[in-house]
Amino acid sequence: MFQQYKDNFGQQGGISLNIPIFNKGITKLQVEQSKINENIAKTTLEQQKQTVRQSVQQAQFDADANYEIYLSAVEAEKAPN
């Protein structure tokens, strides 16, 4: 019985590939649209980063200016009248 299984044993393998040959260029257009969307997203991200940088710099300038005003007020308070 085991000899029969051994004699009839075979190996099998296969591969399947599904390639749309013609779909009216929809796939190509979808790829191009995805690339455009990616570029838009990258540009938007860079704009947002620049806006954050500007906001941080403006806050730092404002803090420095307000500190100078504070120091001037402290000095004015110390001065004799």
Side-chain angles (χ1 to χ4, degrees):
M1 181 178 214
F2 289 112
Q3 185 62 34
Q4 184 180 2
Y5 284 123
K6 191 175 181 182
D7 291 342
N8 291 328
F9 178 76
Q11 292 183 343
Q12 195 175 34
I15 186 167
S16 175
L17 184 61
N18 184 6
I19 301 174
I21 296 173
F22 182 73
N23 61 0
K24 298 183 181 179
I26 292 173
T27 302
K28 183 177 179 181
L29 291 176
Q30 288 172 339
V31 169
E32 292 300 317
Q33 185 64 48
S34 295
K35 288 178 183 178
I36 291 169
N37 290 342
E38 180 184 19
N39 287 334
I40 289 170
K42 286 179 180 179
T43 302
T44 301
L45 176 62
E46 289 305 314
Q47 288 174 338
Q48 290 172 345
K49 285 180 181 180
Q50 185 63 27
T51 299
V52 169
R53 280 189 209 104
Q54 288 174 340
S55 296
V56 169
Q57 286 177 345
Q58 186 63 49
Q60 183 64 48
F61 293 148
D62 291 345
D64 291 345
N66 288 331
Y67 184 68
E68 292 297 323
I69 292 170
Y70 166 77
L71 291 178
S72 297
V74 169
E75 288 299 316
E77 184 183 359
K78 290 179 184 178
N81 290 330

Coordinates of all heavy atoms in Angstrom, one line a residue:
M1 N 0.8 -1.2 0.0 CA 0.0 0.0 0.0 C 0.9 1.3 0.0 O 0.6 2.2 -0.8 CB -0.9 0.0 1.2 CG -1.8 1.2 1.3 SD -2.9 1.0 2.6 CE -4.3 1.8 2.0
F2 N 1.9 1.3 0.9 CA 2.8 2.5 0.9 C 3.5 2.6 -0.4 O 3.8 3.8 -0.8 CB 3.7 2.4 2.1 CG 3.0 2.6 3.4 CD1 2.9 1.6 4.3 CD2 2.5 3.8 3.8 CE1 2.3 1.7 5.5 CE2 1.8 4.0 5.0 CZ 1.7 3.0 5.9
Q3 N 3.9 1.5 -1.0 CA 4.6 1.6 -2.3 C 3.7 2.2 -3.3 O 4.2 3.0 -4.1 CB 5.0 0.1 -2.7 CG 5.8 0.1 -3.9 CD 7.2 0.8 -3.8 OE1 7.8 0.8 -2.7 NE2 7.7 1.5 -4.8
Q4 N 2.4 2.0 -3.3 CA 1.5 2.6 -4.3 C 1.5 4.1 -4.1 O 1.5 4.8 -5.1 CB 0.1 2.0 -4.1 CG -0.8 2.5 -5.2 CD -2.3 2.0 -5.0 OE1 -2.5 1.2 -4.1 NE2 -3.1 2.3 -5.9
Y5 N 1.4 4.6 -2.8 CA 1.5 6.0 -2.6 C 2.8 6.6 -3.1 O 2.9 7.7 -3.7 CB 1.3 6.3 -1.1 CG -0.1 6.2 -0.6 CD1 -0.4 5.4 0.4 CD2 -1.1 6.9 -1.2 CE1 -1.7 5.2 0.9 CE2 -2.4 6.8 -0.7 CZ -2.7 6.0 0.3 OH -4.0 5.8 0.8
K6 N 3.9 5.9 -2.8 CA 5.2 6.4 -3.2 C 5.3 6.4 -4.7 O 5.9 7.4 -5.3 CB 6.3 5.4 -2.6 CG 7.7 5.9 -2.7 CD 8.6 5.0 -2.0 CE 10.0 5.5 -2.1 NZ 10.9 4.6 -1.5
D7 N 4.8 5.5 -5.4 CA 4.8 5.4 -6.9 C 4.0 6.5 -7.5 O 4.3 7.1 -8.5 CB 4.4 4.1 -7.4 CG 5.4 3.0 -7.1 OD1 6.5 3.3 -6.8 OD2 5.0 1.8 -7.1
N8 N 2.9 6.9 -6.8 CA 1.9 7.8 -7.4 C 2.2 9.3 -6.9 O 1.4 10.2 -7.2 CB 0.5 7.4 -7.1 CG 0.1 6.2 -7.9 OD1 0.6 6.0 -9.0 ND2 -0.7 5.4 -7.3
F9 N 3.1 9.4 -6.0 CA 3.4 10.7 -5.4 C 3.9 11.7 -6.5 O 4.8 11.3 -7.3 CB 4.4 10.6 -4.3 CG 4.8 11.9 -3.7 CD1 3.9 12.6 -2.8 CD2 6.0 12.5 -4.0 CE1 4.2 13.8 -2.3 CE2 6.3 13.8 -3.4 CZ 5.4 14.4 -2.5
G10 N 3.4 12.8 -6.6 CA 3.9 13.8 -7.5 C 3.9 15.2 -6.9 O 3.1 15.4 -5.9
Q11 N 4.6 16.1 -7.4 CA 4.6 17.4 -6.9 C 4.0 18.3 -7.9 O 4.2 18.1 -9.1 CB 6.1 17.9 -6.6 CG 6.7 17.1 -5.4 CD 8.0 17.6 -5.1 OE1 8.7 18.3 -5.9 NE2 8.5 17.3 -3.9
Q12 N 3.4 19.4 -7.4 CA 2.7 20.2 -8.4 C 2.9 21.7 -7.9 O 2.9 21.9 -6.7 CB 1.2 19.9 -8.3 CG 0.4 20.5 -9.5 CD -1.0 20.0 -9.4 OE1 -1.6 19.7 -8.4 NE2 -1.6 19.8 -10.6
G13 N 3.0 22.6 -8.7 CA 3.2 24.0 -8.4 C 2.6 24.8 -9.5 O 2.4 24.3 -10.6
G14 N 2.2 26.0 -9.2 CA 1.7 26.9 -10.2 C 1.8 28.3 -9.8 O 2.1 28.7 -8.7
I15 N 1.6 29.2 -10.7 CA 1.6 30.6 -10.5 C 0.5 31.2 -11.3 O 0.1 30.8 -12.4 CB 3.0 31.2 -10.9 CG1 3.1 32.6 -10.5 CG2 3.3 31.0 -12.4 CD1 4.5 33.2 -10.6
S16 N 0.0 32.3 -10.7 CA -1.1 32.9 -11.3 C -0.8 34.4 -11.4 O -0.3 35.0 -10.5 CB -2.4 32.8 -10.5 OG -3.5 33.6 -11.1
L17 N -1.0 35.0 -12.6 CA -0.7 36.4 -12.8 C -1.9 37.0 -13.5 O -2.4 36.5 -14.5 CB 0.6 36.5 -13.7 CG 1.1 37.9 -13.9 CD1 1.5 38.6 -12.6 CD2 2.3 37.8 -14.8
N18 N -2.4 38.1 -12.9 CA -3.5 38.8 -13.5 C -3.1 40.2 -13.9 O -2.8 41.0 -13.1 CB -4.6 38.9 -12.5 CG -5.9 39.5 -13.0 OD1 -6.0 39.7 -14.2 ND2 -6.9 39.7 -12.2
I19 N -3.0 40.4 -15.2 CA -2.6 41.7 -15.7 C -3.7 42.2 -16.6 O -4.0 41.6 -17.6 CB -1.3 41.6 -16.6 CG1 -0.1 41.0 -15.7 CG2 -0.9 42.9 -17.2 CD1 1.1 40.8 -16.5
P20 N -4.2 43.4 -16.3 CA -5.2 43.9 -17.2 C -4.5 44.5 -18.4 O -3.7 45.4 -18.3 CB -5.9 45.1 -16.3 CG -4.8 45.4 -15.3 CD -4.0 44.2 -15.1
I21 N -4.9 43.9 -19.5 CA -4.2 44.3 -20.8 C -4.8 45.6 -21.3 O -4.1 46.5 -21.7 CB -4.4 43.2 -21.9 CG1 -3.7 42.0 -21.4 CG2 -3.9 43.7 -23.2 CD1 -3.9 40.8 -22.3
F22 N -6.1 45.8 -21.2 CA -6.7 47.0 -21.7 C -7.9 47.4 -20.8 O -8.8 46.7 -20.6 CB -7.2 46.8 -23.1 CG -7.8 48.1 -23.7 CD1 -7.0 49.1 -24.1 CD2 -9.2 48.2 -23.8 CE1 -7.6 50.3 -24.6 CE2 -9.7 49.3 -24.4 CZ -8.9 50.4 -24.8
N23 N -7.7 48.6 -20.1 CA -8.8 49.1 -19.3 C -9.0 50.5 -19.5 O -9.2 51.3 -18.6 CB -8.6 48.7 -17.8 CG -7.3 49.4 -17.3 OD1 -6.6 50.1 -18.0 ND2 -7.0 49.2 -16.0
K24 N -8.8 50.9 -20.8 CA -9.0 52.3 -21.3 C -8.1 53.3 -20.6 O -8.5 54.4 -20.4 CB -10.5 52.7 -21.1 CG -11.5 51.8 -21.9 CD -12.9 52.3 -21.8 CE -13.8 51.4 -22.6 NZ -15.2 51.8 -22.6
G25 N -7.0 52.8 -20.2 CA -6.0 53.7 -19.6 C -6.3 54.2 -18.2 O -5.7 55.1 -17.6
I26 N -7.3 53.6 -17.6 CA -7.8 54.0 -16.2 C -6.7 53.9 -15.2 O -6.4 54.8 -14.4 CB -9.1 53.3 -15.8 CG1 -10.2 53.7 -16.7 CG2 -9.4 53.5 -14.3 CD1 -11.5 52.9 -16.5
T27 N -6.0 52.7 -15.2 CA -4.9 52.5 -14.2 C -3.8 53.5 -14.4 O -3.4 54.1 -13.4 CB -4.3 51.1 -14.4 OG1 -5.4 50.1 -14.3 CG2 -3.3 50.8 -13.4
K28 N -3.4 53.8 -15.6 CA -2.4 54.8 -15.8 C -2.8 56.2 -15.3 O -2.1 56.9 -14.6 CB -2.0 54.9 -17.3 CG -0.9 55.9 -17.6 CD -0.6 55.9 -19.1 CE 0.5 56.9 -19.4 NZ 0.9 56.9 -20.7
L29 N -4.1 56.6 -15.6 CA -4.6 57.8 -15.1 C -4.7 57.9 -13.5 O -4.4 58.9 -12.9 CB -6.0 58.1 -15.7 CG -6.0 58.4 -17.2 CD1 -7.5 58.5 -17.6 CD2 -5.3 59.7 -17.5
Q30 N -5.0 56.7 -12.9 CA -5.1 56.7 -11.5 C -3.7 56.8 -10.9 O -3.5 57.5 -9.9 CB -5.7 55.3 -11.0 CG -7.2 55.3 -11.3 CD -7.8 53.9 -11.0 OE1 -7.1 52.9 -11.0 NE2 -9.1 53.9 -10.8
V31 N -2.7 56.2 -11.5 CA -1.3 56.4 -11.0 C -0.9 57.8 -11.1 O -0.3 58.4 -10.2 CB -0.4 55.4 -11.8 CG1 1.1 55.8 -11.5 CG2 -0.6 54.0 -11.5
E32 N -1.1 58.4 -12.3 CA -0.8 59.9 -12.5 C -1.5 60.7 -11.5 O -0.9 61.7 -10.9 CB -1.1 60.3 -13.9 CG -0.2 59.7 -14.9 CD 1.3 60.0 -14.7 OE1 1.6 61.1 -14.4 OE2 2.1 59.0 -14.9
Q33 N -2.8 60.5 -11.2 CA -3.5 61.3 -10.2 C -2.9 61.1 -8.8 O -2.9 62.0 -8.1 CB -5.0 60.9 -10.2 CG -5.9 61.7 -9.3 CD -5.9 63.2 -9.8 OE1 -6.1 63.5 -10.9 NE2 -5.7 64.1 -8.8
S34 N -2.5 59.9 -8.5 CA -1.9 59.6 -7.2 C -0.6 60.4 -7.0 O -0.3 60.9 -6.0 CB -1.7 58.1 -7.0 OG -2.9 57.4 -7.0
K35 N 0.2 60.4 -8.1 CA 1.4 61.2 -8.1 C 1.2 62.7 -7.9 O 1.8 63.4 -7.1 CB 2.2 61.0 -9.4 CG 2.8 59.6 -9.5 CD 3.6 59.5 -10.8 CE 4.1 58.1 -11.0 NZ 4.8 57.9 -12.3
I36 N 0.1 63.2 -8.5 CA -0.2 64.6 -8.4 C -0.7 64.9 -7.0 O -0.3 65.8 -6.3 CB -1.3 65.0 -9.4 CG1 -0.7 65.0 -10.8 CG2 -1.9 66.3 -9.1 CD1 -1.8 65.1 -11.9
N37 N -1.5 64.0 -6.4 CA -2.0 64.1 -5.1 C -0.9 64.1 -4.1 O -0.9 64.8 -3.1 CB -3.0 63.1 -4.7 CG -4.4 63.3 -5.5 OD1 -4.6 64.4 -6.0 ND2 -5.1 62.2 -5.6
E38 N 0.1 63.2 -4.3 CA 1.3 63.1 -3.4 C 2.1 64.4 -3.5 O 2.5 65.0 -2.4 CB 2.2 62.0 -3.9 CG 3.4 61.8 -3.0 CD 4.4 60.7 -3.5 OE1 4.3 60.3 -4.7 OE2 5.2 60.3 -2.7
N39 N 2.3 65.0 -4.6 CA 3.0 66.3 -4.8 C 2.2 67.4 -4.1 O 2.8 68.3 -3.4 CB 3.2 66.7 -6.2 CG 4.3 65.8 -6.8 OD1 5.2 65.3 -6.1 ND2 4.3 65.6 -8.1
I40 N 0.9 67.4 -4.2 CA 0.1 68.4 -3.5 C 0.2 68.3 -2.0 O 0.4 69.3 -1.3 CB -1.4 68.3 -3.9 CG1 -1.6 68.8 -5.4 CG2 -2.3 69.1 -3.0 CD1 -2.9 68.5 -6.0
A41 N 0.2 67.1 -1.5 CA 0.3 66.8 -0.1 C 1.7 67.3 0.4 O 1.8 67.9 1.5 CB 0.1 65.3 0.2
K42 N 2.8 67.0 -0.3 CA 4.1 67.4 0.1 C 4.2 68.9 0.1 O 4.8 69.5 1.0 CB 5.1 66.8 -0.9 CG 5.4 65.3 -0.7 CD 6.4 64.8 -1.7 CE 6.7 63.4 -1.5 NZ 7.7 62.8 -2.5
T43 N 3.6 69.6 -0.9 CA 3.7 71.0 -1.0 C 2.9 71.6 0.2 O 3.4 72.6 0.9 CB 3.1 71.5 -2.3 OG1 3.9 71.0 -3.4 CG2 3.1 73.1 -2.4
T44 N 1.7 71.1 0.5 CA 0.9 71.6 1.6 C 1.7 71.4 2.9 O 1.7 72.3 3.8 CB -0.4 70.8 1.7 OG1 -1.1 71.0 0.4 CG2 -1.3 71.3 2.8
L45 N 2.4 70.3 3.1 CA 3.1 70.0 4.3 C 4.3 71.0 4.5 O 4.5 71.6 5.5 CB 3.7 68.6 4.3 CG 4.7 68.2 5.4 CD1 3.9 68.3 6.8 CD2 5.3 66.9 5.2
E46 N 5.0 71.3 3.4 CA 6.0 72.3 3.4 C 5.5 73.7 3.8 O 6.1 74.5 4.5 CB 6.8 72.4 2.1 CG 7.7 71.1 1.9 CD 8.7 70.9 3.0 OE1 9.3 71.8 3.5 OE2 8.7 69.7 3.5
Q47 N 4.3 74.1 3.2 CA 3.7 75.3 3.5 C 3.4 75.4 5.0 O 3.6 76.4 5.7 CB 2.5 75.6 2.7 CG 2.8 75.9 1.2 CD 1.5 76.0 0.4 OE1 0.5 75.4 0.7 NE2 1.6 76.6 -0.7
Q48 N 2.8 74.3 5.5 CA 2.5 74.3 7.0 C 3.7 74.4 7.9 O 3.7 75.1 8.9 CB 1.7 73.0 7.3 CG 0.3 73.0 6.7 CD -0.5 71.7 6.8 OE1 0.1 70.7 7.1 NE2 -1.7 71.7 6.6
K49 N 4.8 73.7 7.5 CA 6.0 73.8 8.2 C 6.5 75.3 8.2 O 7.0 75.8 9.3 CB 7.1 72.9 7.6 CG 6.9 71.4 7.9 CD 8.0 70.7 7.2 CE 7.9 69.2 7.5 NZ 9.0 68.4 6.8
Q50 N 6.5 75.9 7.1 CA 6.9 77.3 7.0 C 6.1 78.2 7.9 O 6.6 79.1 8.5 CB 6.9 77.8 5.5 CG 7.4 79.2 5.3 CD 8.9 79.3 5.7 OE1 9.7 78.3 5.6 NE2 9.3 80.4 6.1
T51 N 4.8 78.0 7.9 CA 3.8 78.8 8.7 C 4.2 78.6 10.2 O 4.2 79.6 10.9 CB 2.4 78.4 8.4 OG1 2.1 78.6 7.1 CG2 1.4 79.1 9.3
V52 N 4.5 77.4 10.6 CA 4.8 77.1 12.0 C 6.1 77.8 12.3 O 6.3 78.4 13.4 CB 4.9 75.6 12.2 CG1 5.6 75.3 13.6 CG2 3.6 74.9 12.2
R53 N 7.1 77.7 11.4 CA 8.4 78.4 11.7 C 8.2 79.9 11.8 O 8.8 80.5 12.8 CB 9.4 78.2 10.5 CG 10.1 76.9 10.5 CD 11.2 76.8 9.4 NE 11.3 75.4 9.0 CZ 10.9 74.9 7.9 NH1 10.2 75.6 7.0 NH2 11.0 73.6 7.6
Q54 N 7.4 80.5 11.0 CA 7.1 81.9 11.1 C 6.4 82.3 12.4 O 6.8 83.3 13.0 CB 6.3 82.4 9.9 CG 7.0 82.4 8.6 CD 6.1 82.8 7.4 OE1 4.9 82.6 7.5 NE2 6.8 83.2 6.3
S55 N 5.5 81.5 12.8 CA 4.8 81.7 14.0 C 5.7 81.6 15.2 O 5.6 82.4 16.2 CB 3.6 80.7 14.2 OG 2.7 80.9 13.2
V56 N 6.6 80.6 15.2 CA 7.5 80.5 16.3 C 8.5 81.6 16.4 O 8.8 82.2 17.4 CB 8.3 79.1 16.2 CG1 9.5 79.1 17.2 CG2 7.4 78.0 16.4
Q57 N 9.0 82.1 15.2 CA 9.9 83.2 15.2 C 9.2 84.5 15.6 O 9.8 85.2 16.4 CB 10.5 83.4 13.8 CG 11.5 82.4 13.4 CD 11.9 82.5 11.9 OE1 11.3 83.2 11.1 NE2 13.0 81.9 11.6
Q58 N 8.0 84.7 15.2 CA 7.3 85.9 15.6 C 7.0 85.8 17.2 O 7.2 86.9 17.8 CB 5.9 86.0 14.9 CG 5.2 87.3 15.2 CD 6.0 88.5 14.7 OE1 6.4 88.5 13.6 NE2 6.1 89.5 15.6
A59 N 6.7 84.7 17.7 CA 6.5 84.6 19.1 C 7.8 84.9 19.9 O 7.8 85.5 20.9 CB 6.0 83.2 19.5
Q60 N 8.9 84.4 19.4 CA 10.2 84.7 20.0 C 10.5 86.2 19.9 O 11.0 86.7 20.9 CB 11.3 83.9 19.3 CG 12.7 84.0 20.0 CD 12.7 83.5 21.4 OE1 12.3 82.4 21.6 NE2 13.2 84.3 22.3
F61 N 10.3 86.8 18.8 CA 10.6 88.2 18.7 C 9.7 89.0 19.6 O 10.1 90.0 20.3 CB 10.3 88.7 17.2 CG 11.3 88.2 16.2 CD1 10.9 88.0 14.9 CD2 12.6 87.9 16.6 CE1 11.7 87.5 14.0 CE2 13.5 87.4 15.6 CZ 13.1 87.2 14.3
D62 N 8.4 88.6 19.7 CA 7.5 89.3 20.6 C 7.9 89.1 22.1 O 7.9 90.1 22.9 CB 6.0 88.8 20.5 CG 5.4 89.2 19.1 OD1 6.0 90.1 18.4 OD2 4.4 88.5 18.7
A63 N 8.3 87.9 22.4 CA 8.8 87.7 23.8 C 10.0 88.5 24.1 O 10.1 89.1 25.2 CB 9.1 86.2 24.0
D64 N 11.0 88.6 23.2 CA 12.2 89.4 23.4 C 11.8 90.8 23.6 O 12.3 91.5 24.5 CB 13.1 89.2 22.2 CG 13.8 87.8 22.2 OD1 13.7 87.1 23.2 OD2 14.3 87.4 21.1
A65 N 10.9 91.3 22.7 CA 10.5 92.7 22.8 C 9.8 93.0 24.1 O 10.1 94.1 24.8 CB 9.7 93.1 21.6
N66 N 8.9 92.1 24.5 CA 8.2 92.3 25.8 C 9.1 92.3 27.0 O 9.0 93.0 28.0 CB 7.1 91.3 25.9 CG 5.9 91.6 25.0 OD1 5.7 92.8 24.6 ND2 5.2 90.6 24.5
Y67 N 10.1 91.4 26.9 CA 11.1 91.3 28.0 C 11.9 92.6 28.1 O 12.2 93.1 29.2 CB 12.0 90.1 27.8 CG 13.0 89.9 28.9 CD1 12.6 89.5 30.2 CD2 14.4 90.1 28.7 CE1 13.4 89.3 31.2 CE2 15.3 89.9 29.8 CZ 14.8 89.5 31.0 OH 15.7 89.3 32.1
E68 N 12.3 93.2 27.0 CA 13.0 94.5 27.0 C 12.1 95.6 27.6 O 12.6 96.4 28.4 CB 13.4 94.9 25.6 CG 14.5 94.0 25.0 CD 15.8 94.0 25.8 OE1 16.2 95.1 26.3 OE2 16.5 93.0 25.9
I69 N 10.8 95.6 27.3 CA 9.9 96.5 27.8 C 9.8 96.3 29.3 O 9.8 97.3 30.1 CB 8.5 96.4 27.2 CG1 8.6 96.9 25.7 CG2 7.4 97.2 27.9 CD1 7.3 96.6 24.9
Y70 N 9.7 95.1 29.8 CA 9.7 94.7 31.2 C 10.9 95.3 31.9 O 10.8 95.9 33.0 CB 9.5 93.2 31.4 CG 9.8 92.8 32.8 CD1 8.8 92.9 33.8 CD2 11.0 92.1 33.1 CE1 9.1 92.5 35.1 CE2 11.2 91.7 34.4 CZ 10.3 91.9 35.4 OH 10.5 91.5 36.7
L71 N 12.1 95.0 31.3 CA 13.3 95.5 32.0 C 13.3 97.0 32.1 O 13.8 97.6 33.1 CB 14.5 95.0 31.2 CG 14.8 93.5 31.2 CD1 16.0 93.1 30.4 CD2 15.0 93.0 32.7
S72 N 12.9 97.7 31.0 CA 12.8 99.1 31.1 C 11.9 99.6 32.2 O 12.1 100.6 32.9 CB 12.3 99.7 29.7 OG 13.3 99.4 28.7
A73 N 10.7 98.9 32.3 CA 9.8 99.3 33.4 C 10.4 99.1 34.8 O 10.2 99.9 35.7 CB 8.5 98.5 33.2
V74 N 11.1 98.0 34.9 CA 11.8 97.7 36.2 C 12.8 98.8 36.5 O 12.8 99.3 37.7 CB 12.4 96.3 36.2 CG1 13.3 96.1 37.4 CG2 11.4 95.2 36.2
E75 N 13.6 99.2 35.5 CA 14.6 100.3 35.7 C 13.9 101.6 36.0 O 14.3 102.3 36.9 CB 15.5 100.4 34.5 CG 16.4 99.3 34.3 CD 17.4 99.1 35.5 OE1 17.9 100.2 35.9 OE2 17.6 98.0 35.9
A76 N 12.8 101.9 35.3 CA 12.0 103.1 35.6 C 11.5 103.1 37.0 O 11.5 104.2 37.6 CB 10.9 103.3 34.6
E77 N 11.1 102.0 37.5 CA 10.5 101.9 38.8 C 11.6 102.2 39.9 O 11.3 102.8 40.9 CB 9.8 100.6 39.1 CG 9.2 100.4 40.4 CD 8.6 99.1 40.7 OE1 8.7 98.2 39.8 OE2 8.0 98.9 41.7
K78 N 12.8 101.7 39.6 CA 13.9 101.9 40.5 C 14.4 103.3 40.6 O 15.0 103.8 41.5 CB 15.1 101.0 40.2 CG 14.8 99.5 40.4 CD 16.0 98.7 40.0 CE 15.7 97.2 40.2 NZ 16.9 96.4 39.8
A79 N 14.2 104.0 39.5 CA 14.8 105.4 39.4 C 14.1 106.3 40.4 O 12.9 106.2 40.6 CB 14.6 105.9 38.0
P80 N 14.9 107.3 40.9 CA 14.2 108.2 41.9 C 13.3 109.2 41.1 O 13.6 109.6 40.0 CB 15.4 109.0 42.5 CG 16.6 108.7 41.5 CD 16.3 107.5 40.8
N81 N 12.3 109.5 41.8 CA 11.3 110.4 41.1 C 11.7 111.8 41.3 O 12.0 112.6 42.0 CB 9.9 110.2 41.7 CG 9.4 108.8 41.3 OD1 9.7 108.4 40.2 ND2 8.5 108.2 42.1

